[in-house]
Amino acid sequence: SLNDHPYSINSGYLLFFETTLMGKTADLTVVQKTTIDTLHKEGKTQNVIAKEAGCSQSSVSKHINREAKRRKRCGRKKCTSNRNNRTLERIVKQNPFKNVGEIHKEWTAAGVSASRTTTHRRMQDMGFSCRIPCVKPLLNNRQRQKRLAWAKDKKDWTAAEWSKVMFSDESKFCISFGNQGPRVWRKRGEAHNPRCLRSSVKFPQSVMVWGAMSSAGVGPLCFLRSKVNAAVYQEVLEHFMLPAADQLYGDADFIFQQDLAPAHSAKTTSTWFKDHGIPVLNWPANSPDLNPIENLWGIVKRKMRYARPNNAEELKATIRATWALITPEQCHRLIDSMPRRIAAVIQAKGAPTKY
């Protein structure tokens, strides 16, 4: 008979009992709801909650979603609309160097009723933070095009080829640290956005230093006592660059890198290199981001951050001691970054890069 079939009445009864017990057909009890809420706040998974509460996973999911929809937003309604906030964001992007007071004044002039505190809070909600702007050289269109052409010409150079280049540069060190200038409002990832950059200008410094580096390490420093003209620069090359080349390369061939400063590009300087049989790497103007020794100067200055020399001689001693701490591994890592620098210039179409 039908009742004698092994899967007829018994299996149907068990299926009904299981679904009722697991919460699929029956409403959840107060105890089950409390258990679900407690375990959900503890971060338990829905499967674990279902086992603990004695119901199905789908019941747990429905209860959690139902509670989330019931939950009302707390606090006072915002006094600015999305349109007002878009106006504020446009004002900040157009004038990123203005302070909060000036931005607030311009925002309220656009018809928005908000306090200065609200203005600041909305700017933070948008992701803006007040930061010291990165300083990059001002590049005209011709210089950008030359940088791009240079980068495309060198894009196939490997790190091994760049290790044959001796990079050089002068840097200025101050005894005291002055005002770092106005801050800029920007979002994460906008540090090198052209509208967030501050163009660099030259300030009088206490000490001017010449240095050189390769993937093998650093050469001796030269402290320049006077304005660097072609004659002074050639003395530096004779007494500091040649010893650095012997120290870093021995008898191996190398290419010398220098920027386009007047003393470097003078005809007599070019003649000096030809007479000594030293090839010079062609270099685009206003391109410190392509020279890894600039990063080395930055490392030295950061290490000297808390040093406060009282005079020029103490400053020189501090620079020498800090320069001596630079390891060949640091130099090697900087030289290895050259292919990435080239790629960054190409991607930026000749504009300044993060380096």
Side-chain angles (χ1 to χ4, degrees), residues 101-140:
E102 293 170 328
I103 292 172
H104 169 68
K105 186 176 180 180
E106 189 170 344
W107 197 29
T108 54
V112 180
S113 178
S115 67
R116 186 182 184 278
T117 303
T118 299
T119 303
H120 192 192
R121 190 182 301 116
R122 293 293 180 275
M123 292 167 67
Q124 290 178 322
D125 292 343
M126 294 172 190
F128 289 106
S129 299
C130 194
R131 297 286 185 263
I132 297 171
C134 296
V135 180
K136 297 290 181 179
L138 187 62
L139 293 170
N140 57 39

Side-chain angles (χ1 to χ4, degrees), residues 173 177 296-307 318 321-327 330:
F173 288 78
F177 295 86
L296 209 57
W297 293 129
I299 292 171
V300 172
K301 290 176 181 179
R302 283 194 296 275
K303 288 185 176 181
M304 293 174 54
R305 184 178 300 167
Y306 301 107
T318 305
T322 310
W323 185 256
L325 298 176
I326 300 297
T327 64
Q330 287 176 300

Side-chain angles (χ1 to χ4, degrees), residues 67-75:
E67 289 299 311
K69 290 180 181 178
R70 287 178 183 174
R71 201 174 293 119
K72 295 182 179 179
R73 183 173 181 143
C74 301

Side-chain angles (χ1 to χ4, degrees), residues 259-274:
D259 59 25
L260 300 183
H264 302 176
S265 55
K267 290 184 179 180
T268 55
T269 302
S270 299
T271 302
W272 186 95
F273 282 111
K274 290 179 182 178

Side-chain angles (χ1 to χ4, degrees), residues 33-142:
K33 292 179 181 179
T34 304
T35 303
I36 293 172
D37 292 336
T38 303
L39 296 178
H40 179 61
K41 289 179 181 178
E42 293 177 359
K44 303 292 184 182
T45 64
Q46 291 186 4
N47 286 330
V48 173
I49 296 173
K51 290 180 181 179
E52 292 290 333
C55 61
S56 67
Q57 183 269 335
S58 61
S59 297
V60 173
S61 178
K62 289 177 181 178
H63 175 73
I64 292 173
N65 292 334
R66 193 180 300 117
E67 289 299 311
K69 290 180 181 178
R70 287 178 183 174
R71 201 174 293 119
K72 295 182 179 179
R73 183 173 181 143
C74 301
R76 188 175 60 181
K77 184 180 178 181
K78 287 189 175 182
C79 63
T80 59
S81 64
N82 291 335
R83 184 176 182 180
N84 296 148
N85 295 338
R86 288 195 298 271
T87 301
L88 176 61
E89 185 169 12
R90 185 170 60 252
I91 291 171
V92 177
K93 287 184 175 180
Q94 290 174 348
N95 308 279
F97 285 90
K98 286 190 174 183
N99 58 39
V100 177
E102 293 170 328
I103 292 172
H104 169 68
K105 186 176 180 180
E106 189 170 344
W107 197 29
T108 54
V112 180
S113 178
S115 67
R116 186 182 184 278
T117 303
T118 299
T119 303
H120 192 192
R121 190 182 301 116
R122 293 293 180 275
M123 292 167 67
Q124 290 178 322
D125 292 343
M126 294 172 190
F128 289 106
S129 299
C130 194
R131 297 286 185 263
I132 297 171
C134 296
V135 180
K136 297 290 181 179
L138 187 62
L139 293 170
N140 57 39
N141 185 59
R142 183 182 178 185

Side-chain angles (χ1 to χ4, degrees), residues 67-301:
E67 289 299 311
K69 290 180 181 178
R70 287 178 183 174
R71 201 174 293 119
K72 295 182 179 179
R73 183 173 181 143
C74 301
R76 188 175 60 181
K77 184 180 178 181
K78 287 189 175 182
C79 63
T80 59
S81 64
N82 291 335
R83 184 176 182 180
N84 296 148
N85 295 338
R86 288 195 298 271
T87 301
L88 176 61
E89 185 169 12
R90 185 170 60 252
I91 291 171
V92 177
K93 287 184 175 180
Q94 290 174 348
N95 308 279
F97 285 90
K98 286 190 174 183
N99 58 39
V100 177
E102 293 170 328
I103 292 172
H104 169 68
K105 186 176 180 180
E106 189 170 344
W107 197 29
T108 54
V112 180
S113 178
S115 67
R116 186 182 184 278
T117 303
T118 299
T119 303
H120 192 192
R121 190 182 301 116
R122 293 293 180 275
M123 292 167 67
Q124 290 178 322
D125 292 343
M126 294 172 190
F128 289 106
S129 299
C130 194
R131 297 286 185 263
I132 297 171
C134 296
V135 180
K136 297 290 181 179
L138 187 62
L139 293 170
N140 57 39
N141 185 59
R142 183 182 178 185
Q143 290 171 334
R144 285 195 296 270
Q145 294 302 320
K146 286 189 173 182
R147 275 167 55 89
L148 180 59
W150 183 90
K152 288 180 177 179
D153 182 58
K154 301 292 188 295
K155 67 179 181 179
D156 295 326
W157 280 34
T158 63
E161 289 176 292
W162 284 111
S163 67
K164 298 177 182 178
V165 178
M166 180 194 291
F167 292 89
S168 70
D169 190 34
E170 295 89 7
S171 186
K172 299 173 183 178
F173 288 78
C174 286
I175 289 180
S176 59
F177 295 86
N179 186 5
Q180 293 173 313
R183 288 176 172 257
V184 61
W185 288 100
R186 69 187 186 213
K187 294 183 179 181
R188 182 181 293 275
E190 293 184 338
H192 299 279
N193 188 307
R195 67 177 179 81
C196 298
L197 296 176
R198 180 167 61 91
S199 298
S200 62
V201 294
K202 296 182 178 179
F203 294 94
Q205 301 290 320
S206 298
V207 176
M208 175 78 82
V209 187
W210 178 93
M213 67 167 288
S214 75
S215 61
V218 297
L221 290 177
C222 175
F223 291 94
L224 304 169
R225 297 181 179 179
S226 60
K227 184 178 179 180
V228 181
N229 55 30
V232 172
Y233 184 60
Q234 290 160 35
E235 288 292 321
V236 172
L237 296 174
E238 188 76 38
H239 299 290
F240 291 90
M241 190 275 284
L242 292 180
D246 291 337
Q247 173 187 330
L248 300 173
Y249 292 98
D251 296 330
D253 293 333
F254 71 96
I255 303 172
F256 186 70
Q257 179 276 336
Q258 59 181 1
D259 59 25
L260 300 183
H264 302 176
S265 55
K267 290 184 179 180
T268 55
T269 302
S270 299
T271 302
W272 186 95
F273 282 111
K274 290 179 182 178
D275 292 343
H276 288 78
I278 300 174
V280 178
L281 182 68
N282 64 312
W283 197 253
N286 278 358
S287 298
D289 54 341
L290 288 170
N291 193 346
I293 200 173
E294 294 285 354
N295 302 92
L296 209 57
W297 293 129
I299 292 171
V300 172
K301 290 176 181 179

